[in-house]
Amino acid sequence: MCNQIKIGFIMFTLVLFGFQCKEKTNPADIPPAISSIPNIKGEWILEWENGIHQIQLNPEDKKILWDGNEGLELDLDSLGIRIRAYDEETVKGYFLYSDIKPKSWIGTWENRVVRLIRRN
């Protein structure tokens, strides 16, 4: 009887440990279909540190051109877009879909509130 209790306890511990080790996906990290988000594609202007920068967004291929140069990429999540350098984990910019307007978009860039202005 004592051996059955030990085996039962070991099995229970293994099952419990197995459930805790599974990596769960955060629903906020799941990107929506591009057709379901506002149109973000195109050229935007960012005024940053006394300079004006052109940002070309293309959500289909997740590329961003910064002043005509590559080096940044676009990550979509359920709430907005993250902009980061290819070789960095740190997010440079974050913009919520809910904050986009026809000609402007408020978000953050390196922990500061900024506004993108749509060109055209």
Side-chain angles (χ1 to χ4, degrees), residues 47-53:
E47 291 183 13
W48 178 251
E49 294 186 349
N50 300 322
I52 296 175
H53 303 279

Side-chain angles (χ1 to χ4, degrees), residues 66-117:
W66 173 265
D67 292 333
N69 300 311
E70 293 185 1
L72 297 176
E73 75 180 351
L74 179 72
D75 292 325
L76 303 171
D77 65 29
S78 65
L79 300 174
I81 66 165
R82 292 184 298 255
I83 299 172
R84 62 180 180 80
Y86 288 135
D87 57 350
E88 293 180 15
E89 293 283 327
T90 307
V91 174
K92 287 196 169 294
Y94 191 76
F95 296 86
L96 295 172
Y97 304 128
S98 60
D99 290 337
I100 194 169
K101 305 288 187 263
K103 296 287 183 182
S104 67
W105 197 0
I106 301 292
T108 62
W109 194 269
E110 294 184 359
N111 297 321
R112 293 186 193 164
V113 176
V114 296
R115 179 174 57 163
L116 295 178
I117 310 238

